[in-house]
Amino acid sequence: MKFVPSLTALTLLAVSSGALAADKVCKVDIAGTDQMQFDKKEIAIAGDCTQVEVTLKHTGTLPVAAMGHNWVLVKTSDMQGVAGDGAGAGLANDHLKKGDARVIAHTKLIGGGQTTTVKFPTSALTKGGDYTFFCSFPGHWSIMKGKVKFG
Ligand SMILES: [Cu+2]
């Protein structure tokens, strides 16, 4: 009779380690407005997420050329450089320098009423690292930004 509880415990252990090995896609929703604001200042990604799926919704009505928003993830120390290069890169390039290796993940630029999604692996992130998300539309990054915490 003693063996019954220990067998149960072993079974539970096997189930939970199986779950850890599996892909865990963590979803994040964020909205941008015609008032040049994101509705979040911080995004926390749990340390056991293997992938992150970010959905950006533009809840305003202004067109992309006037009030475009995207969601760009970088190391905090890279933000100003990426934003500066992105300002001159044009709408067609989502206001990001082509092939910018400092960009960890980004959505396309969208206008009012549109939604866009990007999915990326957390292997691109270091636990406890200093990350920032921002909008690279010219002039938006000083307001439209926040921290990303992983771990
Ligand atoms: Cu924006």
Side-chain angles (χ1 to χ4, degrees):
M1 291 307 282
K2 263 189 191 165
F3 293 107
V4 174
S6 35
L7 273 176
T8 307
L10 274 175
T11 308
L12 285 172
L13 261 178
V15 168
S16 58
S17 54
L20 282 174
D23 214 23
K24 183 177 173 189
V25 181
C26 297
K27 297 191 175 186
V28 174
D29 288 309
I30 186 162
T33 68
D34 279 348
Q35 287 71 45
M36 210 196 293
Q37 300 276 347
F38 279 132
D39 67 344
K40 286 185 169 71
K41 291 282 178 205
E42 188 176 311
I43 291 170
I45 300 167
D48 64 344
C49 302
T50 56
Q51 295 195 72
V52 183
E53 188 177 303
V54 176
T55 299
L56 168 66
K57 182 176 186 176
H58 191 317
T59 57
T61 57
L62 292 170
V64 65
M67 186 54 71
H69 299 317
N70 59 5
W71 185 92
V72 182
L73 176 62
V74 291
K75 284 182 188 161
T76 298
S77 56
D78 286 335
M79 185 187 67
Q80 290 215 22
V82 173
D85 290 344
L91 262 184
N93 294 312
D94 294 318
H95 278 296
L96 289 169
K97 189 176 84 175
K98 271 190 179 169
D100 193 330
R102 296 167 296 184
V103 174
I104 299 166
H106 75 92
T107 68
K108 60 180 187 155
L109 267 176
I110 56 171
Q114 295 182 304
T115 299
T116 183
T117 296
V118 64
K119 194 165 159 184
F120 61 95
T122 55
S123 57
L125 303 172
T126 303
K127 285 182 183 174
D130 189 0
Y131 300 102
T132 291
F133 69 88
F134 72 101
C135 171
S136 71
F137 193 92
H140 288 199
W141 64 270
S142 60
I143 297 168
M144 297 188 74
K145 66 180 172 188
K147 291 279 184 173
V148 172
K149 302 205 166 162
F150 174 56

